[in-house]
Amino acid sequence: MTNETIQVQGMSCDHCVKAVEGAVGGLDGVDTVNVHLQEGNVDVSFDNEKVKMDEITEAIEDQGYDVV
């Protein structure tokens, strides 16, 4: 398992948390997703044999947020 912390701008509410966790958590190979609203980051644990970091950041950006 690979663990990464992604800096994300634009998240401000519970809806943001659910949108990001749902989008990233729905990717095949993602084990856990934890959004930290106050810190503006997302912790992701994933199998990099099944999903790449680019796919994870794209899923976040598709929800309307900016990956730093």
Side-chain angles (χ1 to χ4, degrees):
M1 263 322 143
T2 301
N3 297 303
E4 293 285 343
T5 298
I6 305 164
Q7 295 294 325
V8 180
Q9 292 180 334
M11 300 184 301
S12 61
C13 63
D14 286 340
H15 171 75
C16 301
V17 172
K18 290 177 183 164
V20 171
E21 286 181 348
V24 176
L27 296 172
D28 185 38
V30 172
D31 185 41
T32 61
V33 182
N34 293 303
V35 174
H36 304 283
L37 201 56
Q38 298 292 344
E39 292 85 4
N41 62 40
V42 179
D43 292 330
V44 185
S45 177
F46 62 98
D47 180 347
N48 63 0
E49 297 286 322
K50 293 183 178 180
V51 65
K52 301 297 177 204
M53 195 65 191
D54 289 347
E55 295 172 89
I56 294 170
T57 57
E58 183 178 328
I60 294 169
E61 290 173 343
D62 284 349
Q63 295 303 308
Y65 307 105
D66 296 319
V67 174
V68 179

